[in-house]
Amino acid sequence: MVLVLAVHTVATVSATVPFAMIMLRDHVKKNDVSPGLHCRLVLPSSGNRSVSLWDVPDKETLQTWLDEFLDVDCSNEVSEVHEEFSYGVSEQLLRARATEQVSVTAHQTADQVQQKGKRIGENVRHQWDEVDQKFKVSEHASVAIKSAKETVAPVFTKVNSAAKQQYSKALENERVAAAAASVGGGLAAVKGSLGSWGTYFKGQADKVGENVMSRTGSPSLSSRGASQATSMSGSAPAAAQGGPTANPVRQEAMKAATGPATGRDATAKSTPTTNDLSSEDGGSPTAVKGLVQPKEGKPGQSPSKGGG
């Protein structure tokens, strides 16, 4: 390799950087140069002359390429550089050449390994073909696989049939059949009980809600639904008629609105007792816990004066 300096001269300066030098830099970056040409340095100037430094096999090859690919307005002159007398570029040249040498060596090694691998693969394939043709390995292997399939299939069929027969015989035993039926029934019962939990809890919640509404004087869920259905059909409310679905508290309120009551009758009517519970409460004593019980007065004394 020869270190060559190229001087590029333009006739007219039309820009800060000559267009020919911009083209040269693009060719070098894209590695779009002739094989064997390695640009080490490009130094453009704002004047008529710019320079570049190259490692080339010979300077004539570089001269031919520069004259062909650079602008026609640029003339190129190449000269050999005496590297031993140069200053400031030795380190850069050594680094660039070492990197390039490693890259070239790696590519060559990879190509050699690839070619050798291809040759080994071809040799192995050729030898296998010869062995296969001589001993008919592929044919024997196909026959063995087919024979194995034909042999194994009936065995699995027999095993499956025997297992089914043993299962049927086992179920013929009364104890085994009873145990199997018991297990199946238990599983069904568990499934059914799990499904009935929701219904049970909903019923309990409805009962608690009915009791709370009866205590607070609100119409019960069943009474409210019956009243709405009756009013929509145009019939008289059940509560006004004192029917079985009327709320006791509502009855007392309606009686109080019709006219004042005096004496013992007013006290008895204004105080609910255990007999005033709705049918929804079921007559349970716990449903009337906390209600005021009428006090028993002395003989001949009015209940209104019993409390002093």
Side-chain angles (χ1 to χ4, degrees):
M1 300 293 289
V2 180
L3 186 62
V4 174
L5 179 68
V7 180
H8 313 281
T9 305
V10 294
T12 304
V13 178
S14 58
T16 303
V17 178
F19 182 68
M21 301 310 297
I22 296 176
M23 291 180 60
L24 176 61
R25 187 191 62 175
D26 292 341
H27 280 292
V28 171
K29 283 187 174 182
K30 297 177 182 178
N31 198 23
D32 187 18
V33 295
S34 297
L37 301 181
H38 306 283
C39 184
R40 305 303 185 195
L41 194 64
V42 176
L43 295 175
S45 70
S46 58
N48 297 84
R49 290 181 178 84
S50 301
V51 297
S52 60
L53 193 64
W54 298 76
D55 269 329
V56 294
D58 55 82
K59 61 180 184 180
E60 288 77 11
T61 304
L62 178 61
Q63 182 72 57
T64 302
W65 184 84
L66 290 174
D67 293 340
E68 180 179 358
F69 286 95
L70 290 188
D71 189 46
V72 293
D73 191 30
C74 177
S75 61
N76 306 286
E77 182 181 357
V78 297
S79 303
E80 185 177 349
V81 175
H82 297 285
E83 188 174 347
E84 61 272 15
F85 295 100
S86 63
Y87 176 80
V89 295
S90 300
E91 184 178 355
Q92 183 176 354
L93 291 173
L94 288 175
R95 189 187 306 113
R97 289 168 181 172
T99 303
E100 186 177 273
Q101 184 64 29
V102 170
S103 178
V104 171
T105 304
H107 281 86
Q108 291 177 355
T109 303
D111 293 340
Q112 292 176 2
V113 170
Q114 185 179 4
Q115 294 297 329
K116 189 174 182 178
K118 288 182 179 180
R119 290 195 298 269
I120 292 174
E122 291 176 358
N123 292 334
V124 171
R125 190 180 301 107
H126 181 67
Q127 292 177 3
W128 168 254
D129 292 340
E130 292 180 354
V131 172
D132 190 20
Q133 292 178 1
K134 184 177 181 179
F135 297 100
K136 298 182 179 180
V137 178
S138 300
E139 183 177 352
H140 291 325
S142 300
V143 172
I145 293 173
K146 183 178 180 180
S147 177
K149 290 182 178 180
E150 294 176 354
T151 305
V152 171
V155 172
F156 278 109
T157 303
K158 291 181 180 180
V159 170
N160 190 18
S161 177
K164 291 182 178 179
Q165 292 178 1
Q166 293 296 330
Y167 180 72
S168 300
K169 289 182 179 180
L171 290 180
E172 291 176 359
N173 191 329
E174 294 181 359
R175 294 184 177 180
V176 175
S182 177
V183 172
L187 293 176
V190 169
K191 182 178 179 182
S193 63
L194 290 177
S196 63
W197 275 108
T199 305
Y200 171 75
F201 284 123
K202 183 177 182 299
Q204 295 298 322
D206 290 342
K207 290 181 179 180
V208 172
E210 294 287 348
N211 293 335
V212 172
M213 289 182 179
S214 298
R215 292 182 185 180
T216 57
S218 300
S220 62
L221 297 177
S222 59
S223 300
R224 187 182 302 175
S227 299
Q228 292 178 355
T230 305
S231 62
M232 290 176 62
S233 61
S235 61
Q241 299 177 1
T245 60
N247 192 293
V249 178
R250 184 177 297 178
Q251 291 178 4
E252 295 297 332
M254 294 175 64
K255 290 178 181 180
T258 56
T262 60
R264 184 179 182 87
D265 294 338
T267 304
K269 292 180 180 180
S270 62
T271 304
T273 63
T274 56
N275 295 327
D276 294 328
L277 293 175
S278 63
S279 60
E280 289 83 4
D281 294 332
S284 175
T286 59
V288 294
K289 185 177 181 180
L291 294 178
V292 179
Q293 298 292 337
K295 294 183 179 181
E296 296 291 335
K298 295 181 180 181
Q301 184 179 4
S302 176
S304 60
K305 300 180 181 179

